[in-house]
Amino acid sequence: MNWSALIVFILLFTLVTVVGFVAARWRRADLNHLNEWGLAGRRFGTMVTWFLLGGDLYTAYTFIAVPALVFGAGAIGFFAVPYTLMVYPFVYVVFPRLWSVSHKHGYVTASDFVRGRYDSGLLALVVAITGILATMPYIALQLVGIQVVIAAMGFTGTGVVGDLPLIIAFVILAAFTYTSGLRAPALIAIVKDLLIYIVIIAAVIVIPMQLGGYAHIFAAIPADKLLLKPPSSANLGTYSAYATLALGSALALFLYPHCVNGVLSASSRKVIKRNMSLLPAYSLVLALIAFLGYMAVAAGVQHDPAYAGWFKQYGPNFAVPALLLHSFPAWFAGVGFAAIAIGALVPAAIMSIASSNLFTRNIYKEYLKPGATPAQEARMAKFMSLIVKLGALAFILFLPGKYAIQLQLLGGVWIIQTLPTVVIGLYTRWLHRWALVLGWLAGMLLGTGMVATQHFKSSIYPLHVGDLTVPGYAALYSLPVNIGIAIILTLVLRALKTPAGVDQTVSADYEHDTP
Amino acid sequence: MTRVKRACWYVVLFVVPYGGVLWVALYNRMEPALFGIPFFYWYQFAWIIVTAIITAAAYFNKV
């Protein structure tokens, strides 16, 4: 057992537990109202939104998995950088419109907007279910992040004893989410980011010094991993995979319920726009985090017998913990581990809140208890947040970790299928509601089918165009089919004069702002 | 310039980083390296900063 790391870890974890509960009193309001519990009253300013969205997008799984991919596979893992930088202009243009219309009409979820815009409970249900399905494995993956750092501190127990630290962390997470709602992850995100920035800045200065500079680090990487493999005349190979993976992920990201939640809790359009030029600061950190993968290679941690057992169990995911243990005194490694574990709590809390908002608003209120009061909604959402987290915990404890990873790959392919409904819907109502449902269905089936042909190990599908093979992200390949079917069926349904429902919104709603 | 016209210009500007990073053949090489970091890496790193500047400019121009 690594006691110094463990003590630092427990101290920091206790600190955020306290912060999580105290958050209930922050900007005090009636937490028995869904708007307060689930969106913190839509009052977050620029700074809090920055921390909250940062906690949303740059999760524990990011800190573990991105360097792990760079560590194991090399340059392809760097796709996270173009991915996150393409997100911001897109969100800048599109998502203030979602904020405006939601603020005007009191929408809590993207599905609420869809319900109001298209007058279709079914389409809203489809969007809600897609969101919940895509988010659940994402929550489970956050737990993988906690699992790895707990193991790194020397917990080697098996069975219930081995799982105990994870269960404790989860009970804490569930309890403060229940009592404080979105306020808790927003406040904890501040602590998380301070820790992450301290660890990363220390890492990118100290470790290269130990290893003899960046030139040395890159010299230690096998040449075929440093760059993407150039395409041949028959196969575009990693070039098309890299570009489509980055673009598809960028388009999908803000459709995830937890990101929508972060956008809607902002206090004005300005806050969102300002954040789109401030959030790239995280992308810079992410790029540095990706370098940790190479530093781990250069430091030779994978050949160190001290870490062999962990690498055997966790594979490349152990690269970052091993590097921290290798390069820093034990107590500082503890700070790093705490940063990663807390980095799991923040998104896990927001994701569970966002999924329970979806369930409450678009399933419970729509189908199970129409006319539920805001207090009943809040009660249901709090209860659901527990169920969602329990599901994620059971997933990790009882199923092999690879299922969570495979489902999360599919999650990206699924969530992008809501893009025509949500994003195009913010600009025009031309696409017919039933056409959108069928386009979604086609996209889901095609995208899932493409990943199935890869035996769920990769979401890169080798598309054959004549003699040329163009490997690309299944999400991006299935999306045009989804949109194409929606367009064709819209023309048919319009010709048949099928009722298109009543639009609750008017065009001025999409520009509406707080004074 | 009207607000709408300005917005159109910025949408064009916004597309530039997409071109910059999606055209992989442009930057998948080692040289010129910067502080020992191969071109592939620092080139994409630089686009983060450029993108942030573009969105900040859009914000200050009230687009």
Side-chain angles (χ1 to χ4, degrees):
Chain A
M1 193 74 75
N2 187 339
W3 287 108
S4 1
L6 185 64
I7 290 168
V8 172
F9 181 89
I10 290 176
L11 281 176
L12 289 168
F13 213 84
T14 312
L15 171 72
V16 296
T17 308
V18 174
V19 170
F21 285 108
V22 169
R25 297 163 177 275
W26 178 40
R27 301 183 179 182
R28 205 154 194 174
D30 181 12
L31 284 169
N32 292 317
H33 197 295
L34 191 61
N35 196 43
E36 287 296 339
W37 183 82
L39 284 180
R42 304 177 203 253
R43 280 198 304 271
F44 285 153
T46 305
M47 281 309 279
V48 178
T49 300
W50 187 74
F51 283 115
L52 186 69
L53 282 175
D56 246 351
L57 312 184
Y58 303 96
T59 66
Y61 185 64
T62 321
F63 302 141
I64 295 286
V66 169
L69 193 58
V70 170
F71 174 83
I76 186 96
F78 215 67
F79 92 89
V81 170
Y83 153 29
T84 57
L85 80 81
M86 283 189 287
V87 167
Y88 304 117
F90 176 62
V91 173
Y92 187 103
V93 173
V94 174
F95 282 79
R97 295 177 70 84
L98 181 63
W99 182 90
S100 291
V101 71
S102 303
H103 191 265
K104 177 90 186 184
H105 293 274
Y107 300 148
V108 179
T109 66
S111 296
D112 282 351
F113 158 67
V114 170
R115 177 87 179 79
R117 176 66 146 169
Y118 295 100
D119 192 11
S120 165
L122 178 66
L123 188 55
L125 180 69
V126 153
V127 172
I129 289 178
T130 315
I132 295 172
L133 277 181
T135 310
M136 289 283 288
Y138 218 154
I139 303 176
L141 273 192
Q142 300 307 326
L143 299 190
V144 174
I146 301 187
Q147 240 178 354
V148 175
V149 297
I150 288 174
M153 284 182 299
F155 277 95
T156 47
T158 49
V160 180
V161 180
D163 292 329
L164 203 57
L166 187 64
I167 294 172
I168 294 173
F170 231 51
V171 169
I172 293 174
L173 167 70
F176 71 61
T177 312
Y178 187 91
T179 57
S180 309
L182 192 64
R183 285 170 168 77
L187 264 193
I188 295 175
I190 300 173
V191 180
K192 170 219 142 193
D193 278 348
L194 287 177
L195 293 176
I196 289 287
Y197 278 100
I198 291 170
V199 173
I200 295 304
I201 290 168
V204 298
I205 295 172
V206 173
I207 300 175
M209 272 164 56
Q210 291 174 349
L211 297 172
Y214 277 99
H216 243 92
I217 293 171
F218 283 100
I221 313 301
D224 60 328
K225 279 192 180 171
L226 263 186
L227 293 178
L228 298 171
K229 192 170 160 283
S232 66
S233 56
N235 191 326
L236 290 185
T238 47
Y239 277 30
S240 56
Y242 190 84
T244 54
L245 206 50
L247 181 61
S249 308
L251 293 177
L253 182 63
F254 268 75
L255 295 164
Y256 275 104
H258 57 286
C259 294
V260 170
N261 219 60
V263 166
L264 296 191
S265 64
S267 62
S268 71
R269 287 168 69 95
K270 259 189 183 163
V271 167
I272 301 167
K273 291 186 171 183
R274 253 185 231 148
N275 262 286
M276 291 310 123
S277 49
L278 294 173
L279 279 167
Y282 284 103
S283 297
L284 291 177
V285 175
L286 180 68
L288 296 174
I289 289 173
F291 284 156
L292 294 183
Y294 284 150
M295 292 180 199
V297 175
V301 288
Q302 74 273 40
H303 303 304
D304 190 330
Y307 307 123
W310 284 313
F311 272 111
K312 201 172 161 213
Q313 191 175 353
Y314 297 103
N317 277 350
F318 199 72
V320 167
L323 183 69
L324 292 177
L325 286 171
H326 174 87
S327 314
F328 290 114
W331 70 269
F332 194 77
V335 176
F337 295 156
I340 293 171
I342 298 165
L345 295 187
V346 173
I350 309 171
M351 287 167 191
S352 66
I353 289 169
S355 337
S356 35
N357 285 351
L358 279 173
F359 177 84
T360 305
R361 296 281 296 190
N362 310 108
I363 297 175
Y364 171 72
K365 193 174 180 179
E366 181 78 32
Y367 295 100
L368 304 177
K369 194 174 170 90
T373 63
Q376 285 170 324
E377 279 180 25
R379 211 174 310 138
M380 189 66 211
K382 287 177 177 183
F383 173 70
M384 273 315 288
S385 80
L386 296 180
I387 300 289
V388 165
K389 277 190 286 260
L390 237 111
L393 184 63
F395 203 106
I396 286 300
L397 293 185
F398 302 120
L399 292 173
K402 65 172 185 196
Y403 289 138
I405 297 170
Q406 292 176 352
L407 279 173
Q408 204 267 338
L409 278 179
L410 279 173
V413 177
W414 292 340
I415 198 75
I416 206 169
Q417 309 305 337
T418 63
L419 184 142
T421 305
V422 177
V423 174
I424 299 178
L426 286 170
Y427 290 90
T428 168
R429 203 173 171 271
W430 184 82
L431 289 171
H432 195 280
R433 47 189 178 171
W434 309 133
L436 284 165
V437 172
L438 290 166
W440 168 86
L441 185 65
M444 290 290 276
L445 291 175
L446 181 65
T448 309
M450 283 177 170
V451 181
T453 62
Q454 304 306 302
H455 307 286
F456 298 101
K457 286 197 180 76
S458 160
S459 47
I460 301 297
Y461 179 79
L463 187 71
H464 297 284
V465 187
D467 290 336
L468 188 66
T469 305
V470 189
Y473 188 24
L476 207 63
Y477 280 171
S478 50
L479 182 63
V481 175
N482 175 342
I483 297 175
I485 288 183
I487 292 174
I488 294 167
L489 290 179
T490 296
L491 293 170
V492 174
L493 288 164
R494 288 187 161 233
L496 296 173
K497 299 204 178 347
T498 317
V502 182
D503 190 356
Q504 216 182 61
T505 68
V506 295
S507 70
D509 295 349
Y510 296 86
E511 305 282 336
H512 155 87
D513 204 355
T514 41
Chain B
M1 242 191 293
T2 65
R3 205 179 142 264
V4 175
K5 218 170 170 187
R6 224 170 33 215
C8 288
W9 271 112
Y10 271 98
V11 169
V12 172
L13 258 185
F14 278 155
V15 177
V16 173
Y18 284 72
V21 294
L22 289 177
W23 190 3
V24 182
L26 196 71
Y27 59 86
N28 189 37
R29 51 201 162 88
M30 298 291 289
E31 299 295 335
L34 184 72
F35 309 122
I37 300 171
F39 185 72
F40 178 81
Y41 299 93
W42 71 257
Y43 170 87
Q44 296 181 72
F45 205 88
W47 271 114
I48 301 175
I49 297 165
V50 174
T51 310
I53 293 171
I54 295 174
T55 44
Y59 173 76
F60 286 115
N61 276 299
K62 299 195 171 24
V63 175

